[in-house]
Amino acid sequence: MEKIKMTTPLVEMDGDEMTRILWKWIKDELILPFVDLKTEYYDLGLEYRNRTDDKVTVESAEATKKYGVAVKCATITPNAARMTEYDLKEMWKSPNGTIRAILDGTVFRAPIIVKGIEPYVKNWKKPITIARHAYGDVYKAAEMKIPGAGKAELVFTGEDGTETRELIHEFKGAGVLQGQHNLESSIKSFARSCFNFALDTKQDLWFATKDTISKKYDHTFKDIFKEIYDKEYDEKFKAAGIEYFYTLIDDAVARVIRSEGGYIWACKNYDGDVMSDMVATAFGSLSMMTSVLVSPEGNYEYEAAHGTVQRHYYKHLKGEKTSTNPIATIFAWTGALRKRGELDGIKELCEFADKLEAACIKTIEDGRMTNDLAIITTAQNPTVLNSEDFIKAIRNTYESM
Ligand code: NAP
Ligand code: MG
């Protein structure tokens, strides 16, 4: 059988621990036999990041800007324990944070839906994709403990020295204080990434803030979205038969629960943090959640939403077989290959991605799965497989389709 040819390389970002092991198995068993794979390889494993003073992370993000599509394995974000474990020169920053800052992108997370893994919300039939604004608000806030009575003010000093003041509160006693900010440029990038992704995936876009209470801060988010939508996207959305819908955050939460799913829910930073955990849990499993970083210029970086599954890796190192779920990592590969196929006009690559995803879903729906799914499935007597056997089962399904 002739392998599918590629014209432009994918940016391949290798990673850490159990997901690094799965990475190789997935490539060997599910990709390389079928695709004449072209990648530009960057090793984002912690050892090599440390050796290159984390330059490799920056280079991989620059390459993503150059080629447009990347696929990333989960990576360790170092903490104190990792400093000793890997004898690190520095506590390197989160690679995802570094890549996101360079691409100025928004992260979209969506669950993979299969029969037998039922959402806790019984009317959810289609995926709900959460788009989280990844800059500012409470995550970049300045905070103060107020010891006692006194006056708190917001002061903005312009470059020419002029001051604008706004009273926050006349404290009669002790309290707390917080100053948040965001940037027009960042909100615009967020809006464009969301509108582009909605067009890309042909799904409605919902956005919600608390603009009735926050008449300047949240209202600015609402206004920027509306202005960009009206000017740049209204016609495109109508032509695609999709809708942009704005509402208050509390109304959105109520509607989401009553909905069937099948749309993108754009959230401010904090709302996205909290709601993505709720939506992920309600859909059944973190190991079935995909994630894609989309820049306003239309660069894409695909990955699994979960981490490096450290506990399983230590078992693997002891020579034990683990039943780590490779599905979200496989879908990172299919997402990236499909996008590469779309951009380069290679129909076979898109079809390959569709078929491999279908093979994953069919394998699970036929009752063969990893342990994390077996313990929550409604299917009778599932066969629990270790990662290697599960990947082989997916290959068998693929070849029988
Ligand atoms: P994690 O790797 O997502 O794993 C947490 C637990 O969730 C696992 O111990 C496992 O539960 C379960 N799990 C997650 N993915 C699974 C899969 N594919 N198959 C089966 N079970 C799965 O999160 P973590 O343990 O908090 O973090 C480990 C490392 O990953 C950290 O160094 C962190 O910095 C990094 N991380 C990276 C990313 C990223 O690169 N995008 C994201 C998050 C975390 P059981 O042990 O009960 O089986
Ligand atoms: Mg969170």
Side-chain angles (χ1 to χ4, degrees):
M1 198 193 61
E2 213 179 308
K3 292 191 196 181
I4 300 161
K5 292 266 186 305
M6 294 176 65
T7 48
T8 317
L10 272 183
V11 177
E12 176 182 354
M13 304 170 174
D14 208 344
D16 287 299
E17 299 195 310
M18 200 58 214
T19 40
R20 188 181 180 99
I21 307 293
L22 294 178
W23 195 257
K24 184 168 185 326
W25 291 344
I26 291 168
K27 277 174 68 179
D28 287 348
E29 197 69 31
L30 300 177
I31 316 265
L32 293 171
F34 309 105
V35 180
D36 196 359
L37 188 66
K38 262 193 179 188
T39 73
E40 196 165 290
Y41 179 87
Y42 292 87
D43 185 357
L44 300 199
L46 187 50
E47 260 179 68
Y48 195 68
R49 271 183 279 150
N50 189 53
R51 209 181 313 155
T52 61
D53 295 334
D54 208 22
K55 285 201 182 63
V56 64
T57 308
V58 174
E59 285 164 7
S60 72
E62 297 295 347
T64 307
K65 278 185 151 175
K66 177 176 166 195
Y67 293 114
V69 188
V71 56
K72 180 179 171 291
C73 179
T75 47
I76 293 169
T77 298
N79 55 16
R82 302 296 198 169
M83 292 289 290
T84 350
E85 185 183 352
Y86 285 84
D87 192 17
L88 300 180
K89 295 187 228 171
E90 246 181 71
M91 202 184 286
W92 306 111
K93 284 192 240 149
S94 146
N96 288 54
T98 303
I99 295 166
R100 201 161 58 210
I102 293 172
L103 294 182
D104 188 21
T106 298
V107 173
F108 296 83
R109 285 185 165 198
I112 300 155
I113 307 253
V114 295
K115 282 195 208 80
I117 311 296
E118 304 303 329
Y120 290 98
V121 181
K122 62 180 187 300
N123 41 289
W124 286 0
K125 304 273 186 288
K126 296 180 219 160
I128 295 169
T129 303
I130 297 249
R132 174 182 171 189
H133 185 211
Y135 180 84
D137 303 349
V138 71
Y139 302 87
K140 284 238 189 285
E143 298 190 319
M144 242 186 235
K145 280 196 163 198
I146 303 297
K151 182 165 78 170
E153 286 178 296
L154 285 177
V155 182
F156 172 74
T157 314
E159 267 184 338
D160 63 356
T162 48
E163 279 185 4
T164 320
R165 286 170 180 267
E166 178 79 35
L167 177 70
I168 299 171
H169 192 64
E170 298 263 10
F171 284 87
K172 303 277 182 286
V176 282
L177 191 64
Q178 186 180 65
Q180 295 189 23
H181 81 278
N182 221 300
L183 307 174
E184 202 177 276
S185 59
S186 176
I187 302 168
K188 284 182 172 168
S189 293
F190 175 47
R192 289 202 174 92
S193 294
C194 290
F195 291 132
N196 287 341
F197 195 69
L199 283 170
D200 226 34
T201 57
K202 297 226 175 356
Q203 298 184 89
D204 290 346
L205 176 70
W206 297 13
F207 181 45
T209 72
K210 196 71 184 172
D211 66 285
T212 46
I213 300 296
S214 172
K215 290 192 167 60
K216 295 212 171 95
Y217 198 106
D218 277 18
H219 216 290
T220 298
F221 280 78
K222 177 182 176 179
D223 291 343
I224 288 175
F225 266 70
K226 178 160 171 36
E227 201 185 300
I228 292 181
Y229 177 77
D230 287 346
K231 242 189 240 156
E232 302 171 28
Y233 290 95
D234 188 43
E235 279 171 28
K236 292 180 193 161
F237 268 53
K238 286 192 176 121
I242 58 173
E243 194 186 13
Y244 169 58
F245 168 68
Y246 178 87
T247 187
L248 278 174
I249 185 70
D250 28 1
D251 179 49
V253 169
R255 284 172 186 261
V256 163
I257 296 300
R258 286 196 308 263
S259 77
E260 272 203 353
Y263 50 86
I264 299 160
W265 182 12
C267 294
K268 284 181 63 201
N269 210 348
Y270 175 82
D271 299 340
D273 184 352
V274 176
M275 291 305 161
S276 66
D277 280 342
M278 185 199 68
V279 170
T281 307
F283 269 108
S285 175
L286 181 63
S287 56
M288 296 289 280
M289 187 64 75
T290 62
S291 181
V292 54
L293 174 72
V294 182
S295 84
E297 292 85 37
N299 299 312
Y300 295 77
E301 181 245 302
Y302 292 84
E303 63 178 315
H306 60 75
T308 60
V309 212
Q310 181 181 17
R311 207 178 60 79
H312 295 211
Y313 181 58
Y314 290 156
K315 279 177 74 179
H316 170 82
L317 287 182
K318 280 194 239 153
E320 291 172 45
K321 299 261 183 212
T322 72
S323 187
T324 319
N325 190 337
I327 292 286
T329 305
I330 298 172
F331 273 61
W333 275 98
T334 51
L337 288 168
R338 182 187 296 107
K339 179 54 73 183
R340 198 65 272 167
E342 281 169 22
L343 293 175
D344 296 346
I346 306 171
K347 202 173 78 225
E348 296 77 16
L349 209 49
C350 301
E351 287 166 356
F352 168 76
D354 293 344
K355 188 173 159 189
L356 183 52
E357 288 181 1
C360 289
I361 290 168
K362 185 171 181 343
T363 306
I364 297 169
E365 291 182 348
D366 286 349
R368 287 165 299 164
M369 60 194 78
T370 44
N371 188 54
D372 56 307
L373 298 182
I375 56 181
I376 58 171
T377 185
T378 53
Q380 299 299 311
N381 309 313
T383 308
V384 181
L385 299 176
N386 63 49
S387 302
E388 276 177 289
D389 289 344
F390 181 55
I391 290 170
K392 289 201 176 97
I394 294 169
R395 177 162 177 181
N396 283 335
T397 311
Y398 178 91
E399 285 176 329
S400 71
M401 282 165 74

